[in-house]
Amino acid sequence: MNKLFLVLFYAFCGLLLAISVNLIISTNVWLEMRIHERLVLEVGVGLGIVFSFLRNSASIALFFVLQSMMFLICFWLSKMDLIYYSLRNFYLDDIAISTIKIVFLTLLTLMNLLIVYHLLGKKLTGFSKFS
Amino acid sequence: MKKILAFLAVVALLFSACQKKDETSTTSTTTKDVSVNGVTMSAPMKVDKENKTITVLAEVNGKYLTENTRHAVVFKDGKFGDKPVFRAFQNQNDFLQAMLEIGGVAGNNMTKENGETTYVEGQKIAMSVTWNGAPKSYDINEVISDGNKKTIDLRFGGNEKNAKELNTGCITCLDSCSVGIISNHAYTYGAVEKRGEVIFHGNAAILPKDGTLVAVTYKLINE
């Protein structure tokens, strides 16, 4: 059960990293026209899953770094909606952008709440210390 | 730990349950075959030999209402199906045959080698877009904006062999192209991607929201 949590956690971290890469790619139209967002997300999630097998706990610091990086790139480029279009191109073609937005932000918010809950002393198994 | 996983499962359920219910979106059209200007999911192309027009069903790709692209209309299952302003539900090969059936004269003057120095030739095409609830049928120059304010001048390039072999799905490109069936005579290949001469994107002030089904009509122009 703990391993399954780690796989999901690091896959999600990989997703955040891949979204950041897609946002950077979108600044160059030559690259943007040639690199498919789906491929970048597949590689990101795949790397996350592989990484999960090398770790014994979910790294809170890694999650915060990737999340902050994604939002910083978004704000710098003023391309917030591109996050959801990236996700839609990841095998979610038939799902409305508004739904993708709600679910993704809900997941992100709840992951943050879980971590805050963990850091405030209610230690959850699976998470690392803040490292 | 079980609680965390149960929670994640609930979120996944939420994801699948709260899909948009909108008559003009593709989500609902899989069960409800909405007709837009005579084209539907089950019959995504309408050929009118008498009026020399072809109408194709497509959907608006909201991403390119703000982002730069060189693709106007691409078959959704083609290699570049995620890159256009309008994702078509009709493949490029059948579309090309329909163009020939209505009497279109292809230029076939573009190659990979001459692309950057050659303007696409072929019969002139008028392209218009409409959707259910639209006040009128909009010309391509109204729904796709050219950063240089140049008029988009569409030509029937042809390119049958490349379209089949490369399977990019390209039906309409915004600069002269050796693969797309129809492309823009106003710019040579590379104007968008390599030389940055122009920026194209959908006109968000006119076009409906992402996922809305539209009918794209091509008409042969006799000069």
Side-chain angles (χ1 to χ4, degrees):
Chain A
M1 194 62 90
N2 191 40
K3 202 70 213 173
L4 178 59
F5 170 70
L6 285 182
V7 168
L8 291 173
F9 178 84
Y10 283 107
F12 192 65
C13 286
L15 188 75
L16 298 181
L17 175 67
I19 289 171
S20 299
V21 172
N22 276 335
L23 287 166
I24 292 167
I25 286 172
S26 76
T27 60
N28 181 300
V29 70
W30 189 88
L31 282 175
E32 213 278 326
M33 288 289 115
R34 281 163 179 76
I35 298 174
H36 295 278
E37 289 155 318
R38 177 179 297 167
L39 181 69
V40 176
L41 291 176
E42 282 168 355
V43 170
V45 170
L47 282 175
I49 290 170
V50 169
F51 191 62
S52 72
F53 289 102
L54 309 174
R55 303 284 298 206
N56 294 318
S57 62
S59 169
I60 294 171
L62 177 70
F63 174 78
F64 277 140
V65 166
L66 291 173
Q67 179 184 243
S68 305
M69 183 172 74
M70 182 188 75
F71 281 122
L72 277 173
I73 295 170
C74 257
F75 290 136
W76 273 109
L77 301 178
S78 302
K79 290 184 174 188
M80 192 58 81
D81 283 352
L82 270 196
I83 292 178
Y84 317 123
Y85 287 112
S86 261
L87 289 170
R88 185 184 63 181
N89 285 335
F90 192 47
Y91 305 105
L92 299 174
D93 279 356
D94 289 338
I95 297 180
I97 288 295
S98 54
T99 305
I100 290 171
K101 178 179 178 177
I102 289 167
V103 174
F104 177 70
L105 291 181
T106 303
L107 256 178
L108 208 55
T109 304
L110 290 170
M111 186 68 88
N112 279 274
L113 289 175
L114 271 178
I115 290 171
V116 168
Y117 185 71
H118 172 73
L119 291 176
L120 288 178
K122 308 282 185 187
K123 298 301 176 199
L124 299 171
T125 53
F127 281 113
S128 66
K129 291 178 182 174
F130 192 62
S131 61
Chain B
M1 185 54 55
K2 282 179 183 171
K3 282 179 185 171
I4 294 173
L5 287 170
F7 158 73
L8 290 173
V10 169
V11 172
L13 261 177
L14 177 74
F15 209 140
S16 59
C18 64
Q19 291 184 16
K20 183 174 68 172
K21 301 292 178 198
D22 183 339
E23 285 214 348
T24 54
S25 77
T26 52
T27 311
S28 57
T29 48
T30 49
T31 51
K32 222 179 194 179
D33 211 4
V34 175
S35 172
V36 185
N37 201 18
V39 283
T40 63
M41 282 290 185
S42 52
M45 182 166 71
K46 184 177 74 177
V47 182
D48 183 343
K49 286 184 185 173
E50 198 176 314
N51 292 314
K52 296 191 179 299
T53 64
I54 298 172
T55 303
V56 170
L57 184 70
E59 67 175 347
V60 174
N61 183 357
K63 178 181 173 183
Y64 292 105
L65 299 185
T66 52
E67 296 296 303
N68 187 9
T69 182
R70 66 176 292 267
H71 299 288
V73 184
V74 178
F75 175 45
K76 70 178 184 62
D77 294 333
K79 279 181 196 164
F80 292 153
D82 55 342
K83 304 294 182 190
V85 179
F86 301 108
R87 302 175 72 207
F89 293 92
Q90 175 61 51
N91 73 63
Q92 76 282 8
N93 299 320
D94 291 345
F95 175 81
L96 188 142
Q97 291 311 315
M99 284 292 291
L100 295 171
E101 274 176 36
I102 63 170
V105 180
N108 287 317
N109 66 316
M110 299 293 300
T111 63
K112 194 180 173 188
E113 290 71 32
N114 74 10
E116 294 199 33
T117 54
T118 309
Y119 292 93
V120 63
E121 299 296 345
Q123 190 159 1
K124 277 200 169 200
I125 307 287
M127 179 184 143
S128 59
V129 178
T130 192
W131 56 93
N132 291 342
K136 64 169 192 170
S137 206
Y138 292 93
D139 183 76
I140 186 174
N141 287 287
E142 293 177 281
V143 292
I144 294 182
S145 66
D146 172 322
N148 299 332
K149 310 287 181 201
K150 261 177 143 176
T151 302
I152 297 170
D153 178 7
L154 295 180
R155 305 296 179 95
F156 177 29
N159 305 314
E160 183 171 8
K161 189 166 173 274
N162 286 345
K164 271 187 186 162
E165 282 179 7
L166 299 173
N167 196 31
T168 59
C170 293
I171 292 176
T172 309
C173 304
L174 294 167
D175 55 12
S176 296
C177 185
S178 59
V179 184
I181 311 300
I182 290 170
S183 53
N184 185 6
H185 180 80
Y187 296 97
T188 59
Y189 177 75
V192 182
E193 295 175 344
K194 290 186 182 173
R195 303 189 300 278
E197 288 172 16
V198 58
I199 291 174
F200 288 109
H201 56 77
N203 186 347
I206 289 179
L207 285 170
K209 65 181 178 181
D210 175 79
T212 303
L213 293 177
V214 298
V216 181
T217 301
Y218 296 89
K219 183 174 175 58
L220 295 181
I221 304 290
N222 293 313
E223 289 178 304

